[in-house]
Amino acid sequence: MANEIIFKEELAPEVKLIKVRAPSIAKKAKSGQFIILRVDEDGERIPLTLIDWDPKEGTITLVFKEVGASTKELGKLEVGDAIHDLVGPLGKPSEIALHSKVCVIGRGVAIAAAYERAKKMKEAGNNVTAIISARTAKQLIFKDQLRGVCDKLYIVTDDGSEGAKGYANDFLRTLLESGERFDLVYAVGAATLMRSISETTKPYKIKTIVSLNSLMVDGTGMCGCCRVTVGGKPMFACVDGPDFDAHLVDFEEFRARIHMYDEEERVALKIAGECGCKS
């Protein structure tokens, strides 16, 4: 059955991993790309990063957090259920090359995407350090997988319940001030995290790439929903990205755009919670 969920696992509270039968996407997928799905015919289009893919098995792996009405609907699907439609792979593949020393940074559910990037960078011959962060230890995911592919793994939690207490950008700054150097830093997560990482690496002139998790509708550059200013020029995360040079991204504009429908999302959640209806 097309788009059938063949495996499901809860990685952390409200964070789920699903493996989906999607042979045409699995055959073409590359690092950094994403898919857009709809849970049902009337559903919202949800962009999700490809975390893994197996061309022989014909499957793709996705990780998502149930933060809105649509992702909560996705979370209700079980093994044997099918996603209504799935399109991809979308976006420009990431540049995977030998840089020597690479630092990969991810927070919360985005640790899954950081793991995918760390694995590919290690396969390319790089020395890979990972810094992962979350509010608490319960929200840390992919720790064992990252230990398997990284030369060093640092864990940071806001409350100090595991690893160092604080934030990833402060931890990175401490490493750099102690003399540690990286040839490339890759960061994925909330806009505030990516902006702070960019501000931390810029004085050291370290090439820094961020993966922008923009709002998207069609994913092919037509709707303009994911427009972002990079180096003073308008670009679209779906076709020009999602990877961009962090030092050129207008993060203020990016952050404002990804939160522009927060009120509508709150209304949709309230409606879904009160009657189980869709907005």
Side-chain angles (χ1 to χ4, degrees):
M1 179 167 56
N3 307 334
E4 179 186 7
I5 296 174
I6 63 169
F7 179 79
K8 180 180 180 182
E9 180 182 6
E10 183 163 357
L11 302 176
E14 300 182 324
V15 177
K16 292 185 170 69
L17 177 152
I18 54 174
K19 185 179 287 188
V20 183
R21 197 180 305 284
S24 61
I25 296 175
K27 187 177 179 181
K28 300 174 183 175
K30 296 184 184 301
S31 180
Q33 292 187 298
F34 62 94
I35 58 92
I36 289 181
L37 63 81
R38 289 192 303 166
V39 176
D40 55 45
E41 188 173 4
D42 300 320
E44 178 187 14
R45 296 167 65 84
I46 310 171
L48 292 175
T49 301
L50 286 161
I51 304 304
D52 199 5
W53 52 92
D54 187 333
K56 291 183 179 178
E57 191 180 49
T59 60
I60 60 173
T61 300
L62 308 169
V63 175
F64 61 96
K65 184 174 183 179
E66 298 173 356
V67 292
S70 297
T71 46
K72 287 186 182 296
E73 287 298 314
L74 180 60
K76 293 177 183 176
L77 298 183
E78 301 293 344
V79 171
D81 291 336
I83 295 168
H84 184 272
D85 55 61
L86 194 64
V87 60
L90 299 169
K92 292 175 65 176
S94 302
E95 180 190 354
I96 303 297
L98 180 59
H99 298 274
S100 190
K101 292 192 69 175
V102 175
C103 181
V104 175
I105 300 169
R107 177 177 171 84
V109 66
I111 294 172
Y115 160 70
E116 188 278 327
R117 190 60 51 92
K119 183 172 70 171
K120 291 296 187 296
M121 284 296 181
K122 188 63 182 175
E123 290 172 356
N126 294 287
N127 179 292
V128 179
T129 293
I131 303 173
I132 60 173
S133 69
R135 290 183 181 178
T136 70
K138 289 182 179 179
Q139 295 168 316
L140 292 165
I141 60 175
F142 279 81
K143 288 185 295 183
D144 291 340
Q145 293 92 328
L146 281 159
R147 287 192 179 98
V149 301
C150 294
D151 297 276
K152 294 179 182 177
L153 171 64
Y154 297 108
I155 295 173
V156 184
T157 50
D158 298 2
D159 63 359
S161 53
E162 184 167 341
K165 183 178 181 180
Y167 302 99
N169 58 302
D170 293 330
F171 194 90
L172 175 64
R173 184 181 299 110
T174 301
L175 286 179
L176 296 175
E177 288 174 349
S178 70
E180 182 69 273
R181 289 293 180 270
F182 299 105
D183 300 290
L184 174 72
V185 169
Y186 166 80
V188 59
T192 50
L193 167 83
M194 294 188 287
R195 181 179 60 185
S196 62
I197 295 297
S198 174
E199 291 171 350
T200 299
T201 59
K202 195 169 186 178
Y204 294 91
K205 299 181 180 179
I206 299 173
K207 182 179 180 179
T208 302
I209 301 296
V210 289
S211 181
L212 300 185
N213 49 349
S214 307
L215 298 176
M216 295 183 188
V217 178
D218 65 278
T220 61
M222 292 191 292
C223 72
C225 192
C226 63
R227 180 171 59 81
V228 60
T229 301
V230 181
K233 299 178 181 178
M235 306 195 85
F236 300 97
C238 64
V239 292
D240 298 313
D243 284 5
F244 292 101
D245 182 334
H247 298 153
L248 300 179
V249 172
D250 182 340
F251 281 106
E252 288 302 319
E253 177 196 59
F254 171 67
R255 188 175 183 279
R257 290 183 68 85
I258 62 174
H259 290 292
M260 64 191 301
Y261 295 114
D262 283 1
E263 181 57 31
E264 285 80 1
E265 187 60 52
R266 278 191 286 272
V267 171
L269 267 174
K270 184 179 180 182
I271 293 172
E274 289 177 347
C275 66
C277 305
K278 294 177 182 176
S279 58

